[in-house]
Amino acid sequence: MGRVNNSLASWMHKRPKVRLLALLAAPGLWLVIAYLGALGALLITAFFTINNFTGDTIPGFSLGNFHDMVTDPAYRNVMFRTLGIALSVTLICSVIAIPMAFFMAKVAKPRSQKFLVALVLTPLWASYLVKIYAWRSMLEPKTGVIDWLLSPLGIHSPGFGGPAIIIGLSYLWLPYMILPIYAGLERLPNSLLDASGDLGAHNFYTFRKVILPLIFPSLVAGSMFTFSLSLGDYITAQIIGGKLQMLGNVVYQNFSINLPFAATIATIPVTIMALYLWLVRRTGALASL
Amino acid sequence: MRNARLFSQIAVASAIAIILAGCSSNTPSATKSTLPKIDTMKTLGTGEGQVNIVAWGGYVESGANDPKVDWVTDFQKSTGCKVNVKVGATSDDMVALMKTGQYDVVSASGDASLRLIYGGDVAPVNTSLIPNYADIFPGLKDQPWNSVQGVTYGVPHGRGANLLAYNTDIVKPAPTSWGSVFDVNSPYKGKITAYDSAIYIADAALYLMKSKPSLGITYPYALDQKQFDAAVALLNAQKPLIGEYWSDYLKHVASLKSGGTVLGTTWQANLNLALSEGVKVNGIKPVEGSTGWSDTWMISSKAKNPNCAYMWMDHIISPKANAAVAEWFGEAPSNAKACALTSDKNFCTTFHAADASYWTDVYYWNTPTETCLDGRTDVKCVPYSEWVKAWSSLRNA
């Protein structure tokens, strides 16, 4: 047995291509079949049509779905709405995450640092659905706890709709923003901050000129999570979105009746994500991650 | 770098292979306008140990929602068929679920049944294997939505009307017309609900049929372009009034309970659930009449558990089970003998089970087609696929 192994190993040793192939077979198959295969199938289905009566998919080539998508203003609206929600969520998450991560990495004592990381992670232990249903009862107009908290200030719960979706998604994805920024700040030497202070920079100036450029790659990494996860979400909109729909809801609404059209709509977030990654790449943040 | 290129070449080759495989295994069967030939079961064998059912919420109750409401446990004990149920929220969901071939039986409404028959997703039913079929009201047998060209495709389950629900504490005076959910000056703005499916366009058409006779609508599922546009315009005007559209019946009941919804379309079963949780709510069939359903139990053409499926179809229309479902869901039973077994002895009278005249203003869900279903031949009607597009566009605007 050992000899077979040895001879196989020496055979492989002489053939680096085979070795590489064997090494990459499993992840390669996963990437190609489960990931690219699904994307390819999606793209192809978008050109199919359906039988008007039974709803059966008819393979073929037709641009009808894309025509419907572009000409109906409803889908333009839902695209911009979804984009707006994803950007707001990303912005809110970064605004909350940067000071939080800074405190965790630079201010807190080493022992409480670990504790804080654990705290940030705790919401991830609970199910997504449980958290969103909790938000549903909290955001309930008139009877919810948010309304009760804010009514002395003369503010009312936003009820179910766009603001509720943004709040819910920001809550859900915040840990995915905090962790990369925390990791980035941890690598940032304290001496840089001291040097900036010694040279007379104010705190805000230090933040803008020293910290922000150095944690920018981490910020981008976090934003890829919050942005892409918000872009594809539909359950939050279903539960606390009132009558508001996002791109994911359009796909969900259509996939059972008109699969090709659902596939066509699904190409929108894919395209937006590709554009986003391309923009990110141009900033050079990916290279220094 | 060379490694990377090799890898991407492999990736491209595999992707192409997959795409080719996907295309060839999926031979298109053109436009199915002809009736697919599917064999009927000849004899009943022994049960397979389980049956997978797609049903409306409230049709397959095992005591989980209310311990007293249970017609599944008996069936499982006597036949050995374990019941696995998947609740469909809309007819479109049910059609999609049946197309997967993973389910044996479905409770299809009239806007799903014909699509399933012509799609080859359900098989004709051999009614001689279903002893209880003999007791079904003759008026429900061999109707356009459960049989085609004299071939029976299912067993009638029961029928009912979509109701107008209102919170009796808040909505005063009590509404009598569907006009209350379309009134742009409604004091209940933001607390009105509507059913989240393209078939709801028929509800608007029904209201227009009575309130705007000049449009000439005679059947809510047969709308020419002008009538269709009027119905969609009415729904667009209604949209600011809507707080939430519902299709998940449990979320709908939760919304009735929290007071988020005080007025809008519902099913009797949802009202029963809400009432059992102490919500002050009532449901009526408004003066315009209602849309409604007449459901059919159908068997999948790819059923893996056909014997248990037949046993289930016989069980669910047996007098006892049929009476229990009818009372729980709030619909008229299909089995004439069920009327003697309801706990409320007036139930069948209340729900007009045998009273054909009551059903004249209940328009059962149907699948709109280009050929007008009301018999008009001078115009083309808007087919269901266009209804779906209009609904999707309305919901996302």
Side-chain angles (χ1 to χ4, degrees):
Chain A
M1 194 62 207
R3 203 188 291 164
V4 176
N5 263 346
N6 278 340
S7 59
L8 186 67
S10 59
W11 185 81
M12 289 272 254
H13 184 73
K14 289 175 207 142
R15 291 166 184 80
K17 275 190 187 173
V18 178
R19 213 167 60 214
L20 182 73
L21 199 68
L23 186 69
L24 289 181
L29 280 177
W30 171 258
L31 185 76
V32 171
I33 295 176
Y35 193 76
L36 291 178
L39 268 180
L42 179 89
L43 195 66
I44 290 171
T45 313
F47 296 104
F48 289 178
T49 50
I50 56 158
N51 178 313
N52 271 348
F53 182 49
T54 60
D56 287 338
T57 307
I58 307 170
F61 182 84
S62 146
L63 289 172
N65 292 321
F66 285 94
H67 179 261
D68 285 352
M69 177 176 85
V70 175
T71 49
D72 192 332
Y75 300 114
R76 212 161 33 237
N77 288 347
V78 78
M79 183 183 91
F80 284 119
R81 184 187 307 142
T82 309
L83 204 58
I85 289 173
L87 287 174
S88 318
V89 169
T90 304
L91 191 72
I92 291 174
C93 281
S94 8
V95 167
I96 300 177
I98 291 173
M100 178 77 194
F102 187 81
F103 181 82
M104 283 162 60
K106 297 291 171 213
V107 182
K109 292 197 184 78
R111 258 188 64 203
S112 45
Q113 250 179 36
K114 279 178 195 131
F115 179 67
L116 283 171
V117 172
L119 268 189
V120 167
L121 287 173
T122 40
L124 299 180
W125 297 357
S127 151
Y128 170 115
L129 274 179
V130 171
K131 287 182 282 188
I132 285 302
Y133 269 107
W135 273 105
R136 186 178 164 94
S137 66
M138 286 195 289
L139 285 165
E140 196 83 57
K142 298 237 165 76
T143 50
V145 67
I146 296 211
D147 203 75
W148 172 78
L149 267 176
L150 295 180
S151 55
L153 307 170
I155 313 171
H156 288 284
S157 159
F160 304 131
I165 297 179
I166 294 175
I167 294 172
L169 289 177
S170 302
Y171 167 80
L172 282 177
W173 312 142
L174 187 61
Y176 298 99
M177 184 63 102
I178 293 183
L179 290 177
I181 298 182
Y182 168 72
L185 281 169
E186 238 194 350
R187 281 185 307 188
L188 184 109
N190 285 340
S191 52
L192 285 183
L193 306 184
D194 294 340
S196 173
D198 291 347
L199 292 169
H202 293 296
N203 285 345
F204 183 68
Y205 196 78
T206 305
F207 173 74
R208 214 157 50 87
K209 290 286 175 186
V210 179
I211 300 178
L212 203 55
L214 285 170
I215 63 162
F216 185 70
S218 319
L219 197 62
V220 166
S223 81
M224 282 193 295
F225 288 122
T226 57
F227 186 75
S228 67
L229 289 171
S230 308
L231 208 59
D233 193 86
Y234 70 100
I235 300 172
T236 299
Q238 239 172 25
I239 297 171
I240 56 176
K243 60 188 167 186
L244 206 81
Q245 303 219 113
M246 292 174 68
L247 278 173
N249 300 91
V250 186
V251 175
Y252 179 79
Q253 193 179 25
N254 279 286
F255 93 95
S256 62
I257 335 173
N258 193 341
L259 189 69
F261 187 67
T264 311
I265 294 285
T267 58
I268 302 179
V270 174
T271 315
I272 294 178
M273 242 6 252
L275 276 174
Y276 187 75
L277 289 178
W278 177 73
L279 277 176
V280 163
R281 197 168 160 249
R282 290 204 47 168
T283 64
L286 284 183
S288 45
L289 254 184
Chain B
M1 203 54 217
R2 254 181 54 214
N3 287 347
R5 202 160 68 215
L6 169 76
F7 184 70
S8 49
Q9 277 163 356
I10 297 170
V12 169
S14 323
I16 291 171
I18 291 159
I19 289 158
L20 290 177
C23 289
S24 54
S25 69
N26 211 343
T27 352
S29 44
T31 311
K32 282 169 184 157
S33 53
T34 48
L35 205 57
K37 281 229 178 322
I38 291 158
D39 289 337
T40 314
M41 194 140 115
K42 298 286 185 302
T43 50
L44 197 60
T46 48
E48 292 87 353
Q50 61 164 351
V51 58
N52 300 314
I53 303 176
V54 174
W56 292 105
Y59 273 19
V60 183
E61 291 290 324
S62 58
N65 277 321
D66 183 337
K68 283 174 293 195
V69 181
D70 179 5
W71 49 89
V72 167
T73 310
D74 282 0
F75 171 77
Q76 296 189 139
K77 269 188 200 143
S78 64
T79 63
C81 301
K82 189 181 175 302
V83 171
N84 307 311
V85 64
K86 168 86 186 160
V87 170
T90 64
S91 288
D92 300 325
D93 279 359
M94 291 189 170
V95 172
L97 287 170
M98 288 310 284
K99 280 190 195 300
T100 65
Q102 289 167 14
Y103 299 90
D104 304 306
V105 206
V106 61
S107 65
S109 295
D111 56 335
S113 56
L114 289 181
R115 281 191 263 163
L116 291 170
I117 293 172
Y118 282 98
D121 303 307
V122 291
V125 170
N126 183 350
T127 52
S128 65
L129 300 179
I130 301 174
N132 284 312
Y133 188 74
D135 300 320
I136 298 292
F137 286 113
L140 290 172
K141 288 182 184 173
D142 298 325
Q143 294 300 307
W145 57 86
N146 60 25
S147 69
V148 174
Q149 295 162 14
V151 181
T152 307
Y153 277 87
V155 293
H157 167 87
R159 51 185 165 178
N162 293 315
L163 300 178
L164 175 59
Y166 63 98
N167 186 314
T168 49
D169 269 353
I170 295 164
V171 181
K172 285 173 184 168
T176 57
S177 156
W178 285 116
S180 58
V181 298
F182 294 115
D183 175 11
V184 290
N185 298 316
S186 171
Y188 313 109
K189 187 175 174 172
K191 294 187 169 183
I192 295 176
T193 193
Y195 186 54
D196 193 0
S197 162
I199 207 71
Y200 186 69
I201 294 172
D203 287 58
L206 172 70
Y207 175 65
L208 289 174
M209 183 166 121
K210 299 292 158 79
S211 64
K212 267 201 184 160
S214 60
L215 281 167
I217 300 173
T218 56
Y219 183 59
Y221 306 97
L223 306 175
D224 62 36
Q225 195 64 52
K226 195 174 137 235
Q227 297 165 338
F228 183 76
D229 291 345
V232 172
L234 182 65
L235 292 169
N236 269 313
Q238 182 201 32
K239 202 178 172 190
L241 305 172
I242 302 285
E244 282 183 290
Y245 291 89
W246 72 272
S247 61
D248 174 345
Y249 75 107
L250 290 172
K251 215 178 94 193
H252 169 58
V253 170
S255 186
L256 284 171
K257 196 177 166 188
S258 74
T261 292
V262 300
L263 185 69
T265 184
T266 194
W267 301 330
Q268 185 68 46
N270 301 338
L271 288 179
N272 291 350
L273 259 183
L275 286 167
S276 74
E277 292 180 21
V279 183
K280 295 212 170 54
V281 67
N282 190 21
I284 54 156
K285 186 177 100 174
V287 290
E288 291 90 0
S290 261
T291 54
W293 68 90
S294 180
D295 290 350
T296 308
W297 286 101
M298 301 180 128
I299 182 165
S300 167
S301 54
K302 301 163 211 107
K304 291 185 187 74
N305 310 295
N307 294 311
C308 274
Y310 266 83
M311 291 176 202
W312 171 260
M313 289 201 284
D314 188 49
H315 169 75
I316 195 69
I317 63 163
S318 67
K320 201 174 153 208
N322 196 233
V325 181
E327 275 202 293
W328 172 247
F329 201 87
E331 60 189 345
S334 60
N335 190 318
K337 287 186 181 160
C339 291
L341 295 173
T342 50
S343 58
D344 170 6
K345 289 303 156 207
N346 288 322
F347 183 82
C348 277
T349 327
T350 319
F351 280 88
H352 310 268
D355 173 9
S357 67
Y358 171 84
W359 298 102
T360 50
D361 68 348
V362 175
Y363 297 88
Y364 305 126
W365 281 343
N366 207 336
T367 311
T369 55
E370 212 162 64
T371 319
C372 292
L373 297 169
D374 60 357
R376 281 182 294 169
T377 50
D378 54 331
V379 285
K380 269 192 177 176
C381 279
V382 180
Y384 188 64
S385 56
E386 292 299 318
W387 287 44
V388 170
K389 276 186 194 165
W391 186 253
S392 171
S393 170
L394 175 124
R395 287 287 281 108
N396 294 299

